[in-house]
Amino acid sequence: VITVDTTITRFLRVRSTPLPNGTPLNDVVEGGCFGGVVVRNGGRLRSVSGKQVVVTGGWTNGATVEAAGSLVAFTGNGTSLISGSTTFETLACAAAGKTISFQAGSTQTIAGTLALSGAPGAPLTLQSSDPGEVWNLTVADDAEIAVAYVAVSNSVAAASAGIAAVNSIDNGGNV
């Protein structure tokens, strides 16, 4: 079952569904800007190539997200918490001064494109939800990577080609 809250701060909630292939990310929610996305209780969010979701708040994956060919973009001010492990086709954020906290111990996998950037004097901060613990980032061998003006802490990043973070800051605890 998919629920779209149509108040000013909309939330996309996906829970157990009778649909055999999961809840599709269709034109009703595609392109929408959500205050948060929650997939839980056996829910399955399935998107297809070319679809996108813009999130200003948190992302919680407590079930299954299939994001082949789609874009998840974080925007807005403040902090976004990404909870649970997710495979993103494209993960993007170009919000100067924003913070993205990743649940400690979680693994975010990038299958296609990683595009993260802040600005001079206002980096995009990437950190663990628990400063003493690490979060994990795995990037596919053939992924496109564009990372600049980020401040990163407590991460374990794995990419065979490496991740060149231009004009960025190592805030410690990175492996």
Side-chain angles (χ1 to χ4, degrees):
V1 173
I2 190 167
T3 305
V4 178
D5 180 348
T6 57
T7 61
I8 294 173
T9 305
R10 301 178 336 156
F11 285 84
L12 175 61
R13 295 179 183 93
V14 179
R15 54 186 170 80
S16 61
T17 176
L19 301 174
N21 293 321
T23 299
L25 181 58
N26 58 30
D27 293 331
V28 173
V29 294
E30 190 275 326
C33 183
F34 297 97
V37 173
V38 178
V39 181
R40 64 177 182 196
N41 299 338
R44 184 172 165 197
L45 176 61
R46 178 180 49 85
S47 67
V48 294
S49 185
K51 300 296 181 184
Q52 68 177 358
V53 174
V54 178
V55 183
T56 60
W59 175 276
T60 300
N61 183 9
T64 303
V65 175
E66 298 171 11
S70 63
L71 163 71
V72 175
F74 286 85
T75 189
N77 299 318
T79 300
S80 290
L81 173 63
I82 298 178
S83 298
S85 298
T86 300
T87 297
F88 296 97
E89 177 67 25
T90 298
L91 177 62
C93 182
K98 184 169 187 66
T99 297
I100 299 178
S101 286
F102 297 90
Q103 180 182 16
S106 69
T107 298
Q108 309 313 314
T109 302
I110 311 303
T113 301
L114 177 65
L116 303 172
S117 64
L124 169 63
T125 300
L126 308 173
Q127 65 186 26
S128 174
S129 62
D130 180 349
E133 301 294 324
V134 298
W135 60 280
N136 303 285
L137 177 66
T138 302
V139 181
D141 293 343
D142 59 349
E144 294 181 35
I145 301 170
V147 178
Y149 296 104
V150 297
V152 184
S153 62
N154 297 313
S155 70
V156 176
S160 63
I163 299 174
V166 179
N167 295 315
S168 296
I169 302 164
D170 179 348
N171 280 341
N174 297 305
V175 177

